[in-house]
Amino acid sequence: MIDKELLIKTVEQALEGTDMYTVDITVSPADVINVEIDSDTNVDIDTCARITRLIESVFDRDTEDYELEVGSAGLTAPLKVIRQYRKNIGNDMEVLTRDGRKLRGVLAEASIADNGDIAFGLDIQSKEKEPGAKRPTIVTRRIDLTASECKYVRYDLKF
């Protein structure tokens, strides 16, 4: 069985001194390791290869048979850590709440709540017609949410 604590320390060591950070590390019962990283700027293939080599130097494949995948958080992947939320302030986001509402708006703020959950504000625009007005106007409203209230928060990709 893969020692997950040692794996986490190994990945943190590889990211030390960079603007990169760990998003998620999973180890399945079948020893399939998935390391997901992100960066304030970008993650390139050389970085993923370097982390892969470091992990392979610590975890001998002859002793422990495992499958390893190291990659960056993709555009369609949901946000998982506060640093991703903060990095995306000002970007268009799509949110699916646990009660089934699908919201689209601009990520306006992000912080850690007192209970340790990620709290964020989403600015949503809608057209509203004032009584007596000929045309509707665009109104922006902030909706405050937490990550635990959401099934996912991800980029709202528009083509």
Side-chain angles (χ1 to χ4, degrees):
M1 185 72 180
I2 299 292
D3 180 352
K4 190 169 180 180
E5 292 303 314
L6 179 58
L7 178 63
I8 291 168
K9 287 178 185 176
T10 303
V11 172
E12 287 174 357
Q13 176 187 351
L15 299 178
E16 201 170 277
T18 71
D19 70 343
M20 289 178 265
Y21 51 93
T22 305
V23 173
D24 197 16
I25 297 176
T26 59
V27 180
S28 77
D31 285 342
V32 176
I33 302 169
N34 190 336
V35 177
E36 188 177 1
I37 60 174
D38 204 347
S39 166
D40 295 329
T41 52
N42 66 347
V43 177
D44 59 25
I45 191 76
D46 294 334
T47 301
C48 294
R50 183 176 54 80
I51 294 169
T52 299
R53 286 190 300 274
L54 181 60
I55 293 170
E56 288 174 338
S57 74
V58 173
F59 296 91
D60 183 18
R61 285 191 185 263
D62 293 332
T63 307
E64 191 81 47
D65 186 28
Y66 60 88
E67 181 180 326
L68 175 61
E69 180 180 327
V70 176
S72 66
L75 281 176
T76 59
L79 305 184
K80 295 180 182 175
V81 296
I82 186 64
R83 200 159 163 187
Q84 288 179 302
Y85 281 82
R86 289 182 176 147
K87 169 182 146 180
N88 286 291
I89 290 175
N91 289 337
D92 291 332
M93 305 304 284
E94 176 183 282
V95 176
L96 180 61
T97 63
R98 296 212 179 273
D99 62 7
R101 294 178 295 153
K102 189 175 260 189
L103 307 170
R104 286 186 163 86
V106 175
L107 185 61
E109 61 184 354
S111 63
I112 299 292
D114 291 339
N115 65 359
D117 200 0
I118 297 172
F120 64 97
L122 193 68
D123 286 345
I124 298 177
Q125 292 187 337
S126 62
K127 289 183 181 180
E128 295 182 13
K129 188 174 177 186
E130 295 291 326
K134 291 184 178 182
R135 297 183 183 183
T137 58
I138 295 176
V139 177
T140 302
R141 288 199 167 71
R142 174 145 318 152
I143 296 178
D144 293 319
L145 297 162
T146 62
S148 62
E149 294 176 300
C150 303
K151 288 186 177 180
Y152 65 76
V153 178
R154 64 182 180 200
Y155 292 105
D156 187 11
L157 298 176
K158 296 176 183 172
F159 297 98

